[in-house]
Amino acid sequence: MVSPVRSICIVGGGTAGWLTAGIIAARHASESGRGLQITLVESETIGIVGVGEGTWPTMRTTLKKIGISETDFFRECNASFKQGAKFARWVTGEESDFYYHPLVLPQGFPSLDLAPFWTKYSDEHADAPSFSDAVCFQQAVCELGLAPKLITSPEYAGVANYAYHLDAGRFAAFIRDHCVKNLGIRHIVDDVTDVVKKDTGDIDYVETSKSGRLGGDLFIDCSGFRSLLLGQTMGVPFVECSDVLFIDRALAMQVPYDDAQSDIVPHTVSVAQKHGWIWDIGLQSRRGVGYVFSSNHTTADAALAELRAYVGDEHRDLQPREIRIVPGHRQTFWKGNCVAVGLAGGFLEPLEASALVLIELSADMISTMMPATRETMDIVAKRFNETTRYRWDRIIDFLKLHYILSKRTDSKFWIDNRDPDSIPDSLKEQMELWRYRAPGDQDFTSNNEMFPAASYQYVLFGMGFRMDTRVSPLDRDIGTAQRAFAQNETLKVKWTKTLPKNRDLINKIKELGLQKI
Amino acid sequence: MRLVELSRSEHAGLRIRDDLVEASAASQHLIPIVVSEFRKAAIQYPIVFSKNPETGRFAPYVMNGLGLQENLFWSGTEMDVAYVPLNVRRLPFYVGTNDDAPDTNVLCIDLDNPCLDGSGGKRIVNPDGSDSAYLKEMLSILGALVAGKAATEQFIATALSLDLLTPILLDIVLDDGTPLQVEGLYSLDEEKFRQLDEGEIAKLWKTGCLDLIYTVLIASGQIIKLIRLKNQRIALSRAWHSNAG
């Protein structure tokens, strides 16, 4: 006697809930009536956290997969293009200090590794270009405020790799409408009052105020920081990582543009401050700006003063929203017949926009590994937990990498961040290897890697890390490298001449639309 | 290009050499056409679709060459073809719009077009000030282009709604060994077209789109003509170099 998995109950309707619903429904033909039945219950009284405004390029595939038109997405979600991140004042704190983590891979990567050639050249030339500028044309595109594609580019295709900035509130509503209208998801607006378990320890049903009991063979916890199902009901403990990543507080603001047609910056800007860093994200109608800091190193008032200094006196009337972050994640993410996606599973500071991508990856994994029966669910759960834990660990390593190379000494925050006791062993090991050779795919061998080796290169060399190239000789003839550097310069000229301004293209997409092909 | 609104009085003295008009297309590898031209175009050219670089919208074109700025039908003095598209024949005239009344069409002339030449035999107005037969012919060509615009857009919309447009993939190696690559060109997907159900085919027939689809499918074979012309050029250039050597 087997118990087939036929119905899913998702609790919570923020970005996590609706994206998960959409991804599973699109694969499992929920609209046909013969596939998996999905119910999503969300509260009217509990708002969404909604600060996830930066995506990865994966979002293009995700939206396409669930059947959304990119044109509609731009029209409805206040969305704009994101071509990576610009990190300012992270190394020395000086005004001129910046580097890019673009989304386009270094020229020739991974078959060609330009890092040792660039290192050698910049050892010998004081006026050498920065790593990101020397190996990737996208920095030049970003510095000029250009879009990553043309009006003739098909939906979801680009000249340069890109992701999005979006309004999280509007995005959740947009995906919700699509899910309800086109993907056959049952939507219930109600408050969950109780979660009731069976003798086996599985969740039996959730009790709601007006809609009665909602059952399911699998429950997906998208209830946000509360972690109503996985944390509160299933009792899965929380693993804090504040000993590695110190940021535990955010002050967020929505800053209007001077002019409705002001340029939209086509990348995330991250400006290091005394006790953390400020994000600055350009949407169509406003900027999202926020200061994430460590409350162990400064007070909210002092942080607010830093944030106000950044946004300028003309916005002194804006009131920030304060968000408390406990950095970390659940010990496991799937227990019994309950799996958590989004904040219910954990959260780290928004550096490198890992929140939304983890939702996509988790939902995708649940969808593709969907157990056919309750009996096989524990096997899937075990694999899901291993992979998800691996992903969290890699994100933590990669975020920490941004801090350990800073030369800033203007506060205890930056000095404490370099304390070896605060650096995970896995990262320490990598750093040992990278003293003599650049990060490569051989350092990241899982099928479930988060960041490509190229991302480590961008951050490592952007932060001023110096490799010792004397020990191991360059493994390729210099001619190949020179051609790749020259090709990068050619691409820079070509695309900075051809690509439109970010705002102009977004206006055009809203007016004329992009073609599907 | 210097486009101005045509004035019968101010431009009365202009002379046009109509034998120079086709020279404007000497380095155009694509020329836009309207659906009313499809049948005539099909006896000469492949009919393809491409996006307007300003709007991203699809429009139909005849193909003169396999690469940018290549017109294999250009003989050096004229287009050596059975049919010259309206968008060439109308030159040096254009249809513009007036900023004050965007829906009204305005007759414009390009004062920089080389076919404006004092030695030309065509004039805009007769000595009595009435429109010349030449201008009347130009007006009827422009009229056909304006009239064909809506029908052409309708055809494109229909093709897109049925997912019939598909990027052109050519797997051809020219006689000098260069693989032929075309970018940004689309054709009709014959396989998808064959899978349409009766109801959809009936709709296409009623709206006149069915004829157009067959015309485009048949015209696609004209690509062979372009490849032959291109290979002839390669052979000529080889012969030239071996003689010179």
Side-chain angles (χ1 to χ4, degrees), chain B residues 139-191:
Chain B
L139 283 170
S140 87
I141 292 174
L142 291 168
L145 284 170
V146 169
K149 193 167 173 265
T152 305
E153 283 169 3
Q154 187 52 49
F155 175 68
I156 296 280
T158 303
L160 281 174
S161 72
L162 296 171
D163 278 335
L164 290 181
L165 288 188
T166 182
I168 294 181
L169 302 169
L170 282 180
D171 189 12
I172 289 165
V173 178
L174 295 172
D175 288 352
D176 64 352
T178 6
L180 190 58
Q181 285 180 329
V182 294
E183 256 178 62
L185 298 184
Y186 298 75
S187 63
L188 293 180
D189 187 333
E190 182 162 352
E191 213 171 301

Side-chain angles (χ1 to χ4, degrees), chain A residues 151-154 508 511-513 515-517, chain B residues 51-58 160 165 186:
Chain A
I151 190 69
T152 49
S153 310
K508 224 174 216 187
E511 187 203 334
L512 299 163
Q515 302 286 348
K516 290 206 166 21
I517 49 169
Chain B
K51 291 177 193 168
N52 178 314
E54 291 304 314
T55 63
R57 296 276 166 93
F58 280 106
L160 281 174
L165 288 188
Y186 298 75

Side-chain angles (χ1 to χ4, degrees), chain A residues 23-144:
Chain A
I23 289 169
I24 297 177
R27 186 183 175 92
H28 293 278
S30 299
E31 90 289 353
S32 68
R34 291 187 305 274
L36 281 173
Q37 292 308 300
I38 303 176
T39 304
L40 186 148
V41 55
E42 71 174 322
S43 162
E44 230 170 4
T45 50
I46 307 171
I48 71 167
V49 176
V51 288
E53 296 194 323
T55 83
W56 278 25
T58 48
M59 189 59 83
R60 284 153 58 191
T61 324
T62 297
L63 294 180
K64 198 174 179 182
K65 216 183 317 185
I66 61 181
I68 279 171
S69 124
E70 192 177 33
T71 303
D72 291 345
F73 168 70
F74 272 96
R75 286 179 180 154
E76 302 296 327
C77 300
N78 204 358
S80 62
F81 292 109
K82 164 182 169 178
Q83 298 178 79
K86 177 178 184 171
F87 293 95
R89 311 177 76 168
W90 277 73
V91 184
T92 62
E94 280 165 29
E95 201 71 46
S96 60
D97 156 23
F98 79 88
Y99 73 93
Y100 271 83
H101 174 195
L103 297 177
V104 170
L105 294 177
Q107 193 63 35
F109 196 85
S111 61
L112 172 66
D113 183 6
L114 288 176
F117 296 98
W118 172 82
T119 300
K120 198 166 182 321
Y121 182 84
S122 56
D123 278 344
E124 292 159 5
H125 299 81
D127 61 343
S130 69
F131 178 72
S132 49
D133 197 29
V135 304
C136 178
F137 70 90
Q138 198 160 33
Q139 171 166 335
V141 169
C142 287
E143 284 285 288
L144 291 171

Side-chain angles (χ1 to χ4, degrees), chain A residues 278-386:
Chain A
I278 284 176
W279 79 76
D280 191 337
I281 280 178
L283 302 183
Q284 291 172 23
S285 65
R286 62 166 171 85
R287 285 153 62 206
V289 181
Y291 185 11
V292 278
F293 58 96
S294 156
S295 68
N296 285 318
H297 292 89
T298 189
T299 63
D301 284 348
L304 182 58
E306 276 187 90
L307 179 60
R308 290 212 182 282
Y310 177 84
V311 297
D313 203 35
E314 65 272 32
H315 301 300
R316 63 182 165 277
D317 295 335
L318 293 177
Q319 287 311 310
R321 206 171 125 215
E322 186 173 344
I323 301 152
R324 281 160 195 269
I325 301 165
V326 186
H329 52 79
R330 295 286 148 185
Q331 195 173 60
T332 58
F333 307 91
W334 193 325
K335 186 178 177 190
N337 66 342
C338 171
V339 56
V341 177
L343 300 175
F347 185 68
L348 302 170
E349 58 172 287
L351 192 67
E352 298 290 357
S354 56
L356 290 178
V357 68
L358 263 179
I359 293 172
E360 297 169 70
L361 291 172
S362 299
D364 215 53
M365 200 176 359
I366 295 169
S367 180
T368 50
M369 291 171 56
M370 184 61 69
T373 65
R374 174 63 189 90
E375 289 73 19
T376 52
M377 191 180 285
D378 292 345
I379 303 168
V380 170
K382 179 169 160 275
R383 293 183 182 179
F384 182 89
N385 284 329
E386 280 166 9

Side-chain angles (χ1 to χ4, degrees), chain A residues 230-516:
Chain A
L230 189 76
Q232 291 185 33
T233 308
M234 303 302 269
V236 174
F238 189 78
V239 182
E240 223 180 295
C241 65
S242 49
D243 52 334
V244 179
L245 296 170
F246 306 152
I247 278 170
D248 62 355
R249 210 61 68 86
L251 291 172
M253 281 180 174
Q254 300 189 349
V255 182
Y257 285 112
D258 297 340
D259 178 301
Q261 291 304 316
S262 291
D263 284 354
I264 303 173
V265 175
H267 50 270
T268 301
V269 180
S270 161
V271 187
Q273 305 291 311
K274 225 171 153 190
H275 303 104
W277 57 276
I278 284 176
W279 79 76
D280 191 337
I281 280 178
L283 302 183
Q284 291 172 23
S285 65
R286 62 166 171 85
R287 285 153 62 206
V289 181
Y291 185 11
V292 278
F293 58 96
S294 156
S295 68
N296 285 318
H297 292 89
T298 189
T299 63
D301 284 348
L304 182 58
E306 276 187 90
L307 179 60
R308 290 212 182 282
Y310 177 84
V311 297
D313 203 35
E314 65 272 32
H315 301 300
R316 63 182 165 277
D317 295 335
L318 293 177
Q319 287 311 310
R321 206 171 125 215
E322 186 173 344
I323 301 152
R324 281 160 195 269
I325 301 165
V326 186
H329 52 79
R330 295 286 148 185
Q331 195 173 60
T332 58
F333 307 91
W334 193 325
K335 186 178 177 190
N337 66 342
C338 171
V339 56
V341 177
L343 300 175
F347 185 68
L348 302 170
E349 58 172 287
L351 192 67
E352 298 290 357
S354 56
L356 290 178
V357 68
L358 263 179
I359 293 172
E360 297 169 70
L361 291 172
S362 299
D364 215 53
M365 200 176 359
I366 295 169
S367 180
T368 50
M369 291 171 56
M370 184 61 69
T373 65
R374 174 63 189 90
E375 289 73 19
T376 52
M377 191 180 285
D378 292 345
I379 303 168
V380 170
K382 179 169 160 275
R383 293 183 182 179
F384 182 89
N385 284 329
E386 280 166 9
T387 301
T388 308
R389 178 58 188 260
Y390 180 83
R391 286 177 169 155
W392 280 96
D393 288 344
R394 292 293 75 71
I395 296 172
I396 292 168
D397 277 4
F398 188 61
L399 298 194
K400 185 65 175 176
L401 177 71
H402 293 65
Y403 291 99
I404 61 175
L405 293 166
S406 176
K407 299 179 179 72
R408 288 183 70 136
T409 51
D410 53 324
S411 74
K412 223 169 153 319
F413 172 79
W414 292 99
I415 295 164
D416 288 351
N417 252 308
R418 300 194 285 271
D419 180 346
D421 288 344
S422 76
I423 304 173
D425 289 341
S426 46
L427 179 58
K428 278 185 190 151
E429 277 186 3
Q430 300 277 41
M431 293 301 291
E432 269 308 297
L433 290 177
W434 297 338
R435 282 171 61 190
Y436 305 104
R437 65 154 176 81
D441 285 346
Q442 66 275 27
D443 300 317
F444 305 94
T445 52
S446 162
N447 283 335
N448 299 297
E449 288 300 344
M450 289 299 296
F451 298 90
S455 290
Y456 285 82
Q457 290 201 351
Y458 282 128
V459 173
L460 210 57
F461 302 121
M463 289 298 300
F465 180 79
R466 304 306 301 177
M467 260 188 325
D468 189 342
T469 54
R470 288 167 311 180
V471 184
S472 54
L474 296 177
D475 64 345
R476 244 176 220 264
D477 76 300
I478 186 97
T480 313
Q482 277 167 347
R483 279 192 295 279
F485 285 121
Q487 174 65 9
N488 188 51
E489 293 308 308
T490 309
L491 290 174
K492 249 188 239 180
V493 172
K494 176 176 179 188
W495 292 121
T496 52
K497 263 202 304 208
T498 320
L499 290 168
K501 293 286 274 187
N502 199 27
R503 163 84 69 188
D504 293 345
L505 181 63
I506 291 168
N507 285 345
K508 224 174 216 187
I509 291 172
K510 289 174 76 179
E511 187 203 334
L512 299 163
L514 291 164
Q515 302 286 348
K516 290 206 166 21

